[in-house]
Amino acid sequence: MLKKLLSSGLINVIATLSQLGVIVWLGRLLSDEHYGQVHLLISTIAVMSTISLAGQNNAATRFLAPKKQMAAFQWLRYAGRVGMVSSLLTIVSGACLTLSSHYTNAHIIIAMICGISFCLAQFLAAGILRAYGRTALALTLNHGWALLSLGLVAILKPQTATAFFILLAISHLTSVLISFVVCLFQIPFGETQVSSEVWSEGCWFWLISASMILGRHLDRILLAAFVPFAVLGGYGAVVTLMGGFDVLMGTVGFLLLPTFAQTDDVQLRKRIAEVGLLILGAVCFYWLFGEGLLNLLFAGRYDDSSHLIPILLLAGVAKVA
């Protein structure tokens, strides 16, 4: 399992570095106010897409992977139903955003487009393909949008938050299209209907995923109501720096769920020890090099926010644990 954690973790590291590259680049390109808007909208899209997905990415893996007959199911019809539910929930979420003065109409529309496309790509890659046993391909497609958005930012160099989110929407739409095409070619069409049990099971994953994503992003959404966007940008810079803990949490969850689904012999103590070693390594790294890395990434622009590193270090450990 440790070998799988490290190999899949490498893919997660590349994806996270791509996301980090985008956020850091924007921190150098945009004004402090626009950079704060970027962090607010990224957190909003993350929460919106998680709620709209209704836990079906994990429910599909949990329900279908143990049967080892993914090709026997009518997965395309199932995907269509997930798409309809996700679209409806995203529209409702977008309507709720109109109640806040922090979002412009353009930002709400872009957030809805990103939210729908992101959750569908998540379902196809992290749900269907992962249940079919194509873990490496699923993980790659799951993070493909990050590489594409990094390329678009590097080439076009957006100067406003709105311009960046248009590029992000293009990245997510491309990602869901590629994921859909790959699923069509990789997974045969079956005759067996997907049981409604997957929806009831998804409710539990929905609650778990929503609580996790709120723990990661609710702080920036709430801070936007009390501090200027320029201050939020400094806080977001330190949060970006601590992205290593998101790599750990994502890798562990991505790999352990199919393991729990397929076997009862998961050697729990060994798994906990392996994850604990990875957490310890991350803590030591940030404790020793956090302030210097913040200065290097943002060219000293957000050094005043370095006092937040120990606090967010504890938060990172809590997230993975």
Side-chain angles (χ1 to χ4, degrees):
M1 175 59 69
L2 182 59
K3 184 177 180 180
K4 287 186 177 180
L5 280 171
L6 292 175
S7 59
S8 295
L10 178 61
I11 299 176
N12 260 328
V13 166
I14 294 173
T16 301
L17 287 177
S18 299
Q19 297 176 47
L20 176 65
V22 170
I23 301 302
V24 170
W25 207 321
L26 290 172
R28 292 169 174 253
L29 287 174
L30 304 181
S31 66
D32 291 349
E33 181 176 352
H34 280 278
Y35 193 53
Q37 289 178 1
V38 164
H39 281 284
L40 172 62
L41 284 175
I42 285 177
S43 295
T44 301
I45 292 170
V47 172
M48 180 186 294
S49 59
T50 300
I51 292 175
S52 300
L53 192 51
Q56 289 306 299
N57 57 330
N58 289 321
T61 302
R62 176 70 177 173
F63 180 78
L64 300 176
K67 305 178 186 304
K68 299 180 181 179
Q69 296 177 342
M70 183 66 210
F73 289 96
Q74 295 178 345
W75 66 266
L76 189 59
R77 178 177 294 182
Y78 172 39
R81 291 173 179 171
V82 172
M84 288 189 291
V85 171
S86 297
S87 298
L88 178 61
L89 291 174
T90 301
I91 292 172
V92 172
S93 300
C96 293
L97 294 182
T98 61
L99 301 176
S100 172
S101 61
H102 297 294
Y103 303 93
T104 66
N105 290 334
H107 287 168
I108 292 174
I109 293 173
I110 293 172
M112 291 171 63
I113 294 173
C114 290
I116 293 174
S117 54
F118 181 65
C119 70
L120 290 180
Q122 281 266 310
F123 170 72
L124 292 170
I128 297 298
L129 270 176
R130 183 168 52 146
Y132 193 55
R134 304 296 177 86
T135 305
L137 179 59
L139 194 56
T140 302
L141 290 176
N142 196 40
H143 296 299
W145 65 270
L147 289 169
L148 180 56
S149 61
L150 175 61
L152 290 175
V153 168
I155 293 171
L156 299 177
K157 296 180 175 60
Q159 299 297 315
T160 66
T162 301
F164 163 68
F165 280 101
I166 291 174
L167 299 181
L168 186 64
I170 293 172
S171 300
H172 282 312
L173 289 170
T174 303
S175 176
V176 70
L177 177 61
I178 293 175
S179 298
F180 180 68
V181 171
V182 169
C183 285
L184 286 179
F185 281 95
Q186 291 284 327
I187 307 176
F189 301 106
E191 300 295 332
T192 305
Q193 290 189 5
V194 177
S195 170
S196 58
E197 180 184 347
V198 73
W199 290 97
S200 59
E201 189 153 347
C203 290
W204 295 107
F205 287 112
W206 196 6
L207 293 174
I208 294 171
S209 297
S211 63
M212 290 175 63
I213 208 70
L214 286 173
R216 290 171 58 183
H217 292 279
L218 186 61
D219 54 349
R220 276 154 285 179
I221 295 175
L222 292 178
L223 278 174
F226 300 101
V227 301
F229 280 127
V231 176
L232 182 62
Y235 177 84
V238 181
V239 171
T240 301
L241 176 70
M242 311 301 288
F245 288 103
D246 293 333
V247 174
L248 285 178
M249 184 170 64
T251 301
V252 171
F254 201 91
L255 288 174
L256 287 187
L257 180 61
T259 301
F260 276 93
Q262 295 174 11
T263 179
D264 293 327
D265 182 19
V266 296
Q267 301 179 17
L268 184 59
R269 292 183 180 178
K270 184 178 179 181
R271 300 291 84 83
I272 292 175
E274 291 169 350
V275 173
L277 287 174
L278 294 174
I279 293 174
L280 180 61
V283 169
C284 292
F285 175 80
Y286 281 118
W287 188 265
L288 294 173
F289 306 110
E291 290 188 22
L293 190 57
L294 180 66
N295 177 275
L296 177 64
L297 292 177
F298 295 97
R301 185 171 178 178
Y302 295 109
D303 284 357
D304 291 344
S305 301
S306 61
H307 63 279
L308 296 171
I309 291 177
I311 299 173
L312 293 178
L313 190 62
L314 293 174
V317 173
K319 280 195 289 188
V320 181

